[in-house]
Structure formats: structure tokens, C-alpha cells
Amino acid sequence: MAVVLAALIAGTGLVAGAAVAALRLTAPPERTGLLRDALAGVAATLPQGWSAGSVAPVTGFTSVVRDERGALVMARPVPGPVTDVRKATAEAAELYSRLLLNGDRVSVVDDRKTADGHTRALRAEYKDVVNRPAFLRVMLVTRTDRSVLLVGLLQPEDDSRRQALDEVMTSVR
């Protein structure tokens, strides 16, 4: 009888442990902060390791968030109406790739319509041995009253950091 009772207790413990592990593995990432930009009219949830900065490194942007390893996302309002969202996004991507990437080879890795605008992502490669590839995503969020431009930058680029950057940018509301 004691052996059966011990087996039941052990089995219950294993099931409970497996349930806790499954919940932790499938739980959404922990949110640690919130960005509110009244001038651009946006808010974003920030994953663990990201925080709001005080001043954006590029003039004209009204807010910035960074991760612990130097990735950043900046936001700014777009003056006036945007008639061609895809063209405006492409032009902004070209401008910010020249200002921020300065790559020897820059290629478009994503260009698509989003639910509320358009996004374009670029990857820069460098011939020197010091600089590793960089990633730039430009997203134009269109609204009825005004539009917002988001610029995200990673250097060096890697898939997990790119996912975190995209998560921050798509959380903007």
C-alpha cells in the first residue's frame, strides 16, 4: 500500500512539474515597460531588456527605445497626409540607410503592406572586418488624423534580436 501511495505522489509531482514547465515555455515574453509618445501619438509595449530613452539620436524623432545591446526604435510624426504609403516608406528607408547604415552592400530583405501602413527592411554588409551586418526596418503607420514613421536599427544583426525589434515595432499603437 505504501508503495502505491508513493507512486501516486511521485506521479502527481511529475505531472505538476510538466504542467508548470509547459506553461513557462509557452507563455508570452515578459513585458517590462511601455513607451508613450504624445507628439507622435503612439504607445508601444516593451519586452524584457528594452527601455525608453530620453533623446532620440536622430533629429526630428520624438521618442526612442533601446535594448541592452544597442538596438533601437525611433518614432516621429509625419507632417501632412501621405498619398503613396509604399513610395513614402521606400524613400524613408533609402534616406535612413544612407544616414545610419553606410553599408558597402545594402539589400532589401522585406517590403510589404501591413494592416495599417507599409514596412521595408534593409540589410547592410560591410567589406571591412570590424563591422558585422546591420539591419534597418522602416515602418510607416498610417492613421486617419496623422501618420507615424518608425525606424528600427540593429547592429550586429541576428535573428533573435531582429524578432525582438520587429516585436517592438509591431506593438506600436
Side-chain angles (χ1 to χ4, degrees):
M1 184 72 162
V3 173
V4 173
L5 185 58
L8 281 173
I9 292 171
T12 303
L14 284 173
V15 169
V20 168
L23 288 173
R24 284 189 181 173
L25 291 174
T26 59
E30 180 183 333
R31 303 285 176 213
T32 59
L34 182 67
L35 166 72
R36 290 199 189 279
D37 182 339
L39 293 173
V42 296
T45 54
L46 305 178
Q48 188 171 11
W50 286 76
S51 60
S54 56
V55 177
V58 177
T59 303
F61 285 88
T62 54
S63 61
V64 62
V65 294
R66 300 174 189 270
D67 77 355
E68 298 163 339
R69 294 171 38 198
L72 63 89
V73 175
M74 301 178 291
R76 73 172 179 82
V78 175
V82 178
T83 55
D84 187 340
V85 176
R86 184 171 193 258
K87 181 179 177 184
T89 304
E91 289 172 353
E94 173 66 26
L95 171 68
Y96 290 109
S97 77
R98 283 191 318 247
L99 292 172
L100 301 171
L101 294 179
N102 296 316
D104 294 312
R105 186 175 140 220
V106 177
S107 54
V108 176
V109 294
D110 185 20
D111 185 47
R112 63 187 154 81
K113 183 179 179 178
T114 63
D116 54 357
H118 200 87
T119 186
R120 178 175 271 207
L122 306 172
R123 184 175 193 269
E125 297 176 20
Y126 305 90
K127 292 179 184 174
D128 62 47
V129 294
V130 177
N131 287 310
R132 294 183 11 218
F135 177 80
L136 176 81
R137 178 171 300 282
V138 174
M139 185 178 292
L140 185 59
V141 179
T142 55
R143 304 215 171 117
T144 54
D145 56 340
R146 64 178 154 186
S147 297
V148 177
L149 182 70
L150 305 171
V151 174
L153 180 65
L154 288 177
Q155 218 240 339
E157 174 212 20
D158 70 49
D159 287 340
S160 65
R161 293 182 70 214
R162 186 191 290 192
Q163 288 174 349
L165 179 95
D166 286 344
E167 182 182 330
V168 170
M169 293 181 79
T170 57
S171 78
V172 170
R173 299 286 173 245

